[in-house]
Amino acid sequence: MRSRTAAALAAVDGRLVAAGAGCFALAVYLRTLAPTVMWYDMGEFATASYVLGIAHNTGYPLYLLLGKAFTLLPVGDVAYRVNLMSAVFSAGTIVFAGLIIHELTRSRAATLIGALTLAFSSTFWANANWAVSYPLNALSTALITWLLLRWRATGQASYACVAALALGLSLGNHRLILLLVPGMALYLWHGRALLRPAVLARMALLFLLGLSVYVYLPIRGEQGPSLSWAQPATAGTYWSMFLTGGSRPEYWDVSFDIVGRLGMLLDYPLYDLTV
């Protein structure tokens, strides 16, 4: 009984450490947050969120719906409010990253060090400061990973079902989440003894429910918002945005520059963890 109580207390302490790291990160992000509109996609995302428009391919329906909610906050200008969304999602990612580390190590020190290392790595911190879709993608990745870990640890199907819903929703933000799918599928396969047919059916339905956020594109596109990349507003346009996010041949030429991509990945650790 005593050892069980000690284990429970250790788990609570780990959750508090993860939450504390997330709160500290949020406080710093608020101090460094961009005060208004920034360059590149930031102005588009802030404007599209405010007018409930349609952003460039893939349309980003989940991001824009959440962004609209943040534009209703009585603080700063519209761009600042959407920038704030990135700070909140990044801080949430730190919380779940800490929970993942504690789930794997049961070490409060590792939880704190790992979470804060991620929080203040260069690329992650930069994206927490302005309106881009990457913080929401990072939060989705961390949330799904934590849910799957809890599913295997507890055997409760509800965790796997919520992970499927989160995956469907996150596809309405950024396709980078697809990089998680192979690992997710392998992890589910190794835990297949816990996946009864009824559970798999619920997961499939919840995934489709999350993916249905893309219905936003034709609904809003037909209303003619003041900012819409779904032009011409046709079924083919919406379908193309959903399937590929673009159709230019040069997109694939750039995407499959494997040598260049590997070189960039090798440069990232030194860049991210130094000033």
Side-chain angles (χ1 to χ4, degrees), residues 14-62:
R15 291 193 291 267
L16 289 175
V17 170
C23 289
F24 178 71
L26 179 60
V28 175
Y29 296 157
L30 292 178
R31 291 288 297 174
T32 60
L33 194 64
T36 187
V37 68
M38 299 292 289
W39 70 293
Y40 204 54
D41 292 339
M42 292 70 165
E44 178 199 346
F45 280 140
T47 304
S49 295
Y50 181 67
V51 302
L52 276 181
I54 296 177
H56 64 277
N57 297 341
T58 58
Y60 298 89
L62 178 66

Side-chain angles (χ1 to χ4, degrees), residues 20-106:
C23 289
F24 178 71
L26 179 60
V28 175
Y29 296 157
L30 292 178
R31 291 288 297 174
T32 60
L33 194 64
T36 187
V37 68
M38 299 292 289
W39 70 293
Y40 204 54
D41 292 339
M42 292 70 165
E44 178 199 346
F45 280 140
T47 304
S49 295
Y50 181 67
V51 302
L52 276 181
I54 296 177
H56 64 277
N57 297 341
T58 58
Y60 298 89
L62 178 66
Y63 183 92
L64 298 184
L65 289 169
L66 294 173
K68 178 62 177 179
F70 272 82
T71 65
L72 302 178
L73 295 174
V75 56
D77 62 18
V78 169
Y80 178 85
R81 297 167 195 171
V82 184
N83 294 340
L84 178 61
M85 182 169 71
S86 289
V88 171
F89 290 158
S90 295
T93 303
I94 298 308
V95 174
F96 280 106
L99 291 174
I100 291 167
I101 295 169
H102 191 263
E103 187 77 28
L104 295 173
T105 67
R106 297 298 170 185

Side-chain angles (χ1 to χ4, degrees), residues 159-224:
Y159 286 110
C161 290
V162 176
L165 174 63
L167 178 63
L169 282 169
S170 60
L171 282 169
N173 172 58
H174 203 290
R175 296 298 169 82
L176 272 175
I177 198 68
L178 288 173
L179 295 176
L180 184 65
V181 171
M184 185 178 180
L186 182 61
Y187 197 72
L188 289 169
W189 173 256
H190 279 287
R192 60 190 179 277
L194 299 171
L195 292 174
R196 300 184 304 277
V199 174
L200 288 171
R202 271 187 292 166
M203 289 177 65
L205 288 173
L206 286 169
F207 170 77
L208 292 175
L209 177 63
L211 195 61
S212 69
V213 72
Y214 265 100
V215 173
Y216 169 87
L217 295 185
I219 290 176
R220 189 62 181 136
E222 295 306 307
Q223 296 172 352

